[in-house]
Amino acid sequence: MNINSSYTQEMVSMRRSIHQKPETGWTEFRTTALVVRRLKELGFEVKMGKAIVNTDFVMGRYDSEVKLGMQRALQAGITQEEIDATEGYTGAVGIWKTGKPGPVTAIRYDMDALYVPETTNPEHIPNKKGFASQYPGVMHACGHDCHTAIGLSVAHWIADHKDELCGTIKLIFQPAEEGTRGACSIAESGIVDDVNFLFASHIGNKPRLGEVTVTEPGYNATVKFDVHFEGKPAHSVANPQDGRNALMAACHTVVMAGSLPRHGSGLTTVSCGKINAGEMRNVVPTHATLQMEVRGSTNELCDYIYSQVCRAVKANAEAFDVKYDIVKVGQALTMNPDKELAEVIKECASEVVGPENVSYFKETGGSEDVTFLMTRVQNHGGQAAHFYYGSDDTGPHRSDFDPDDEKSMPVGFTIQTKLLLKKNGIH
Amino acid sequence: MNINSSYTQEMVSMRRSIHQKPETGWTEFRTTALVVRRLKELGFEVKMGKAIVNTDFVMGRYDSEVKLGMQRALQAGITQEEIDATEGYTGAVGIWKTGKPGPVTAIRYDMDALYVPETTNPEHIPNKKGFASQYPGVMHACGHDCHTAIGLSVAHWIADHKDELCGTIKLIFQPAEEGTRGACSIAESGIVDDVNFLFASHIGNKPRLGEVTVTEPGYNATVKFDVHFEGKPAHSVANPQDGRNALMAACHTVVMAGSLPRHGSGLTTVSCGKINAGEMRNVVPTHATLQMEVRGSTNELCDYIYSQVCRAVKANAEAFDVKYDIVKVGQALTMNPDKELAEVIKECASEVVGPENVSYFKETGGSEDVTFLMTRVQNHGGQAAHFYYGSDDTGPHRSDFDPDDEKSMPVGFTIQTKLLLKKNGIH
Amino acid sequence: MNINSSYTQEMVSMRRSIHQKPETGWTEFRTTALVVRRLKELGFEVKMGKAIVNTDFVMGRYDSEVKLGMQRALQAGITQEEIDATEGYTGAVGIWKTGKPGPVTAIRYDMDALYVPETTNPEHIPNKKGFASQYPGVMHACGHDCHTAIGLSVAHWIADHKDELCGTIKLIFQPAEEGTRGACSIAESGIVDDVNFLFASHIGNKPRLGEVTVTEPGYNATVKFDVHFEGKPAHSVANPQDGRNALMAACHTVVMAGSLPRHGSGLTTVSCGKINAGEMRNVVPTHATLQMEVRGSTNELCDYIYSQVCRAVKANAEAFDVKYDIVKVGQALTMNPDKELAEVIKECASEVVGPENVSYFKETGGSEDVTFLMTRVQNHGGQAAHFYYGSDDTGPHRSDFDPDDEKSMPVGFTIQTKLLLKKNGIH
Amino acid sequence: MNINSSYTQEMVSMRRSIHQKPETGWTEFRTTALVVRRLKELGFEVKMGKAIVNTDFVMGRYDSEVKLGMQRALQAGITQEEIDATEGYTGAVGIWKTGKPGPVTAIRYDMDALYVPETTNPEHIPNKKGFASQYPGVMHACGHDCHTAIGLSVAHWIADHKDELCGTIKLIFQPAEEGTRGACSIAESGIVDDVNFLFASHIGNKPRLGEVTVTEPGYNATVKFDVHFEGKPAHSVANPQDGRNALMAACHTVVMAGSLPRHGSGLTTVSCGKINAGEMRNVVPTHATLQMEVRGSTNELCDYIYSQVCRAVKANAEAFDVKYDIVKVGQALTMNPDKELAEVIKECASEVVGPENVSYFKETGGSEDVTFLMTRVQNHGGQAAHFYYGSDDTGPHRSDFDPDDEKSMPVGFTIQTKLLLKKNGIH
C-alpha cells in the first residue's frame, strides 16, 4: 500500500475533534464552522446557506433540534456570526478555481452523526484515547467524522498542489445524510449543475482494511415520511360520536399497508417503524403519528409503492373523518454509477491498495442520498461514481463502531487525490 | 275467551292452502291472486301493482326470483292475466267504503314466506295433516300465511257486517315483510295517507296461546344493504399492480366496521352476515359482495351508524381503487305506537282473552317494516298501534315452527273485528 | 337550607391547603400525613399502610411516581417518619369506637388529584384567592380536596359529639380513586368487613348548588388495563424475518377489538386511548404498549368483554410471535345502592336542602371504584348508598373546575353528620 | 427445421380427440384410458393407480369432481373396467425395458384441462375444424392435450426404434398439473427412484414457433391451500355472544396476511384469491373458506411464508374461538435443472430448429409441479432438465388459446426422440 502519509496527522486530529462533538443532521453548526474556517484559510471560495441549500427540498429538519444545535455550537466556541452565516442551514461547498481550462470535478463529504449513545467500554478506542462523544446519546457511529476530516485534508492537498491542477474542484460538505434528508436540497440548489465528474465514497461497510470496493448499480430508492392524523377529542364511552379517532385511522393505515398490491417487477417494501397516538385512556384519541418508509428496487417502484401508501392514508383519514398530513423526511434514489468513471476509481484504488484488493460490489439493501447529486450530474451529461474504502470495523450504526482512523482514512484520502489528479491534473 | 268461531274453518283452510305453496318476498303471485279473487268476490274495491307500490322505494326485489315466482304461480293455476294485473309487484289493498261518514281504518297483513326448509319430522302438524310446503327450501316459518288467511276472513266479516259499519276500511296485504323490504314502497304509494287508524299485529312471539301483548314503543330501526366492489383482474404474483383488489376492499370494510364510533346515546350495531369475493386462487379478485345490516335503537342512531358504514365503504373503495355500490335491500323504523290506540287494543283484547291475559310488551331486539306505514299515518296526524296474539309456538324462523291455526288465528281475527267495530261501528 | 356552619372555616382552610399541593393516585403522602395528624389529634385510632391496603390488589401504582410523590411530600414539610408509616401505600382509616353498643358505620373519602394543568385565568377563584396548584400539570380538578377536607371536619364533629354517638365509625381516606385504582385493595384488606352501613358521596356532577341527588343503581363496570407486547429488533428491509413485530401485534389488536362480539344483553364497550410502539423508522418495532379499557352495564358484561379482549391480545401475540403482558391498572363494579339506605340519605338531605331539592338520579356513563367497598359491605349483609351534593360547577376534570367551597362543602358535611346521627346517634 | 414428420398425423388426431373431451385434474379417466390402451398396444408395460400415485400426497382432488369425471368417461365410451383399473387415481406410466444395459430415462407428460370456457369465435381453429371442447366451461387452454399426444407418438417411436435403444425408458403421464396438484404424489410413489435422466417440456410460453428455450434455474416454489373456519350461529344483534364468527376470522386472516414479515433474502408472496363466508344477513357467520397461495423464490422461502400464514390462521381462529382447517391443494418446488443435461437439450434442440433459435430462459413468475419429480431424481443422484418449444400462441389459460398443433407438436416430438437417442441410443 502506497499511502501518502503527510496529511494523516491533521486528518486524525480533525476527525477526533469532530467525533467529540457529534452533530446530527441539520444541526452541524460547529462542524460547518470548522469546515468553513479551514476552507477559507486555504484560499477556497466558500458557499453556504441558501446558496447551496434549496429550502423547498429540505427534509427532516426540526426547529427544536436546530435551535439546540446552535446553542451547543455557541457553547463549543463557534461565534454567532459563524452561525448566522449558515442562514440556519448547515453545510458548505468549497470551490477551487485553478483559472486553467479543465473539467469541474466534485467530491461529496457528509458530516452528520447519529442518535446512538457511544459505548462506555474502556477498550473502545475513543474512550481509550479520550476523544469519545461529549454529547449524551449522540455519536459519529457511521464514520462521517472521518469523511469530513478527509475532505479538509483533500482541500489542503489541493492548495498544496494548485500548480499541478486545472479546471475547477468543488468539495461538497453535505448535511443530514442519515435518514437521507440533505442531498436533495443541495442538488436542487444547482450547485452541481456545472459538474463533469462527481465522486462519493464511504469508509467501511463490506471491504476490510486495505480493500476497496467500487459500487455497481444498486441501492434501493426510498422515501421516509411521517404521517400525522388529527381528530377531535370526546369521551370514549359517553359520546364517541362527537370524537374523531386519529388512533384508529393510524392503526388501520398500518394494517392496510400490507394489503396494498406489491409490484410484479421488483422489490417494493413498506415499513412502519413507530406509532404514537392518543392522549388518555378514556378519550377518543386526537393525535397520531406514524414513522414510515417505503423502498423500491427502482425509483419507479419506490414512487409506485409510495403513491399506494399515500392513497391508503388519505382513505383512512376519510374513513375516520380526521385530517391528515404526509411529510417527507428523507428520500434517496437508486444509484447508477457510470461504468467509465467507476473504472477510473478502480485504477486509482489499485494503485493505492493493489489490484488484488479492489473489486466491484453491488449494494442491495441500503440507501444513500448522494444519489440525488449523482442523478443531477448525470441528467446534464456528467458522470458520477462511488466507492468504499475498507475498515476492520464494518458494522456502522453501532455504539462501538470504530474504524481505524490512522489506517483507513489515508486510503480514502489518497484515492481521492489520485482521482483529482486523473481528472484535473496537468499532464 | 269469547271467540267468534264462524269464520274459523275458512281461515284454517285458506292458511293451509297458502302454507303449501309458500312464496318469498316479492314473489307472492299466487297469494296475491288468491287475495284479490276473494276480495273482489266479497265486493271490495281492489288496488294493486304500482297503484300501491311506489317502485322507487322497492328494496330487495330480484328479477330472477320474481321470474321464478311467476312460473310457480302459473304452474299452481294462477292465470297470466292475474299475474299481469300485478305489474310485477305483488301485494293488494282491499278497500271497503261504507258510504257513511266515519274514519278510515286500515289493517296490515303480510304475506311472504322464508328460505327455511320445512322439517320432515312426521310429528310436525303440517306433515301430519298433509299441508306442508311443496316448495323445497321455502316455508311459512313466521306465520304470515296465518296473517293473510285472517285478513281474508276479516274481509268476509266486513262484508257480512256492512250495515253495522261506517267510514272506510282498508285491508293492506303487504309483500316482502321478511328482510323489511316491502312496507316502505307501500307507504310511499300514498295508500295510507287518508288513514286515521292503522292496526298491525303478529301471531306468536312472546305471548302464549290465549295471551295478547300490546306493543310499547320499541323495535330497532334497521337498514339492510348489500355492498358491491368491482376491481380489475391481474395475476396475483406476476403483475398485481395491474389488478384492483375487490376482495381486499371488502375484507378491510368488514374489519373497519367494528372500529367505527358507536353512538353514546343508544344501541348501534353493524353486522356483516355474508361475503363472497374473488374468482380464482391466483388472480387479483375482481368482484366482492357483502351482505350487511345496521340497527339503531332510534331512527337517528340507525341513520348515524349507516352513514358511518357508508363512509367506510367509500374509503376502502378509494384505498384499493375499486368501484363500489351500496344497495339498500331492506329497512325498518323504530315503532312508536300511539298510547290511546294501544289502549283501545287492550280493551278489545281483554274482551277476547280476559284482561288478566293482556299486557304491554316492549320489543327490543327485532325489526318490523310496518313501522313505515305507522310512521306515515302518524306523520299526517293519524294513529297506529300493534299487538301480538299468542301461540304455543313462539319461535318463528325455525323449520318446525307451527302455531295452532285452529286456536291462535281466531283470537287475532276476533280482536281485529272488535277493533273495527270500535272505530267504524255504528253505535 | 339549614347549614351547621361552625366547621366551615376549617374545611375551607384544609381544602385550600390540599388544593395547593395536589397529589395524584398512590402519591398522596402529604395528604395522608395531614389526615393522619389530624385524626390522631382528635383521638381517632388510625390504621395505615398494609393494614388497610391489600397489595395484591393494588392497581395503577408506578414506582417512579411514588418516589417523586415522596420527594415532594418531604419538600412540603412531611417527615420521613410520616412517610415511612405508610409503608409506601397512601391512605388512612380513622376509627372511632364509642364503647357503646351500636352499628359500624363507614364513610369513604377519596384524596387524589388529576394530571390536569390548572388554568392561569386570573378570574379562576384559586388564582384570585391564591391557593392554586403549585405543582405544574397536576390539579384537584374533581373535588377530592373538598372530600378530604369534609372528612376531617366530620372527624372533628364526631369528637365534639362523642357523647351523642354509639357503635363504631370508620372514616376511610382512600387513595387513587381516579382511574378506579385504589378501592379494590382497600376492600380486600378486610377493613370494611364489619361495616353495617357505608356511605359515599361526591361534590358536584348533576345537581346544582343547593341540590342533592341520591344515586340509583347504575354506573358501568370497568376494567382499565395496559397491554404490552415485546418483540425482537431487525432491519425492516434487510432481514425482517429475524424481527418480531410488536407494533403489528398492537395495531392488529386495536383493529380486532372492534370485531369482537358485543353482548346482546347490555352495553359492552372497548376503547384504546393510547398506543406507543416502535423505536426507529427502519427497525422492526420491538416494544408496544396500548392503554385500553372495557366497560359493561353489568359486572358480568364487563368480565365478558374483558375476556374477549384478552383472548384477542393473546392471539395477536401468537400471530406475530411476540410476548405479551396484560396489566390491570384500574377497575370498578356497577353500583347497586340499597334502597332502604338511599331513602335514609334522602330524608337527611331533605332536612338540609329541602325535600324539593332532593331527587333520585341514575348514573349511566361513568365509573366509581367505591363500588368495591359497597359490594364488599353488601356481600356480608351490610348496606351501602351514595349521593351527590351540588355545586354550580358541574364539569369536573377541567382545568377551571371550581366548586364553591364555602357553600358546597357545608352541604355535604351536614348531610354526613345527620347520617351518622341517624345510624349511630343515641336517641 | 428438420422435422421428422411421419408421426405428425397421429399426434394431431390424438390431440384433437383429447381436446374435444377435456378433463380437469384428477378426472382424466378417458385420457388415461386412451393412453393406457395405446401404450399396451405398443407393447409397453403399464403401471397405474396406487402403483404410481402415493395417495398420502394427493392434493386438490375432490370426490364430486372425480365422480362426475367417471360418469363423463363412461358416456364417452370408456369401460367400467378401464375406470376400475385406475383405482380412482388417474395417470399412467409406460415402461419400455430394452433388456440391454443402459440408463433409465424418463419423460413427463401432463394431461389435464382447465376450467376455462372455450371461445365461440368461429375463427378459433378448434371451432373451424370442429374439435372444440364438448364439455361446457372446460378447455385444454394450456396445451396439455398436445403434451399427451406427443407422449403417445414418442411411445410409438420407441416401439418403432426398439433395436436402436438400450436401458429403460419411462413415459410418465401425470394427472393434475394445473394447480400443481399431481406430481408430488407421483414422485412419492417411488416411480422415478431409478431414473437417471428426467426430461420435461412445455409447448408455447416465451418462444415463438420454431424457437426453443432451455430452462434455467428459476420458478417459484408455491403452496396452494384452502383455509376453512367453522364457527357457531346466533342472532347477530340479539345474542352475538353465543355465536362464533367464522367470517371475522377469515377477514382478519386476509388482512393480517399482508402484515406478516416478508423474508429479506428473496421473494415471498401471499395471495387470497377467493373468500366465501356466512349464511344469512343477520346470523353470525358459521362457515368461511379462503382460497390462498404462497410463493417463494426458493423452497425455504416458500416454507417460511407458508408457516407464517399458518400461524396467522391459527391465531385468528383462536381470537374468534372458531375451528379451522388448512388443506394443501397444490404445491410445487423451485426448478434447478442440471446444467449438463440442459446442455444436452440445447444440442438436440439446435439440431431441430437451428442453434440460432435456441436460448436459455429463466422463468421467474410461474410454478410447475414437475419440480417434485425433478427434485426426487436429483436427490438420488440423477439429472433433470426442462425446455419450452415454441408456438405462435404464447398466452395459455385463455379461452382462445391455440398452438398450431401441426407445426408446434412435431418440434417437441423430434427433440424428445433425439434426447432418447442421445441417452439411450446404441451408438
Side-chain angles (χ1 to χ4, degrees), chain A residues 62 114-115 220 223-226 235-238 245 247-248 250-252 254-255 257-258 267 269 271-285 290-293 295 329 365 397, chain C residues 62 114-115 220 223-226 235-238 245 247-248 250-252 254-255 257-258 267 269 271-285 290-293 295 329 365 397:
Chain A
Y62 303 101
L114 284 156
Y115 283 114
N220 291 319
V223 179
K224 296 162 199 312
F225 55 103
D226 289 345
H235 191 281
S236 299
V237 177
N245 197 325
L247 181 152
M248 274 298 175
C251 287
H252 277 271
V254 169
V255 164
L267 182 78
T269 69
S271 334
C272 177
K274 203 165 183 173
I275 175 170
N276 287 299
E279 293 76 32
M280 289 177 65
R281 192 178 305 278
N282 57 0
V283 172
V284 174
L290 300 174
Q291 290 190 12
M292 302 188 74
E293 67 164 43
R295 302 200 182 190
V329 299
H397 293 218
Chain C
Y62 303 102
L114 284 155
Y115 282 114
N220 291 319
V223 179
K224 297 162 199 312
F225 55 102
D226 290 345
H235 191 281
S236 300
V237 178
N245 196 325
L247 181 151
M248 273 298 174
C251 287
H252 277 271
V254 169
V255 164
L267 181 78
T269 69
S271 333
C272 178
K274 201 166 184 173
I275 175 172
N276 286 299
E279 294 77 31
M280 289 177 64
R281 191 179 304 277
N282 58 0
V283 172
V284 175
L290 300 174
Q291 290 190 12
M292 303 189 74
E293 66 163 44
R295 300 200 184 192
V329 299
H397 293 216

Side-chain angles (χ1 to χ4, degrees), chain B residues 225-226 275-278 281 292, chain D residues 225-226 273 275-278 281 292:
Chain B
F225 55 103
D226 290 345
I275 175 171
N276 287 299
R281 192 179 305 277
M292 302 188 74
Chain D
F225 56 102
D226 289 346
I275 175 171
N276 286 299
R281 192 179 305 277
M292 303 189 74

Side-chain angles (χ1 to χ4, degrees), chain C residues 15 124-126 131 139 391-393 398 400-404:
Chain C
R15 182 256 169 162
H124 180 61
I125 301 293
F131 66 90
M139 177 191 175
S391 151
D392 278 341
D393 192 325
R398 284 196 342 260
D400 58 350
F401 175 73
D402 183 56
D404 184 333

Side-chain angles (χ1 to χ4, degrees), chain C residues 333-405:
Chain C
L333 307 177
T334 49
M335 192 185 282
N336 292 296
D338 292 279
K339 274 195 177 175
E340 200 182 320
L341 202 64
E343 197 57 30
V344 172
I345 293 175
K346 202 177 168 196
E347 282 169 39
C348 292
S350 296
E351 291 171 27
V352 182
V353 298
E356 70 283 9
N357 291 315
V358 182
S359 57
Y360 278 103
F361 173 63
K362 179 180 169 61
E363 170 72 43
T364 53
S367 294
E368 237 288 11
D369 72 352
V370 77
T371 47
F372 275 109
L373 294 165
M374 294 173 73
T375 301
R376 183 92 175 193
V377 166
Q378 291 167 326
N379 281 350
H380 67 65
Q383 293 185 353
H386 182 272
F387 65 102
Y388 288 99
Y389 44 98
S391 151
D392 278 341
D393 192 325
T394 59
H397 293 216
R398 284 196 342 260
S399 63
D400 58 350
F401 175 73
D402 183 56
D404 184 333
D405 56 7

Side-chain angles (χ1 to χ4, degrees), chain A residues 81 111 118 134 137 139 147 153-154 193 217 238 261 276 295 338 343 393:
Chain A
E81 290 67 34
M111 309 190 298
E118 190 150 17
Q134 296 169 358
M139 176 190 174
H147 299 170
S153 287
V154 168
D193 285 3
N276 287 299
R295 302 200 182 190
D338 292 279
E343 197 57 31
D393 192 326

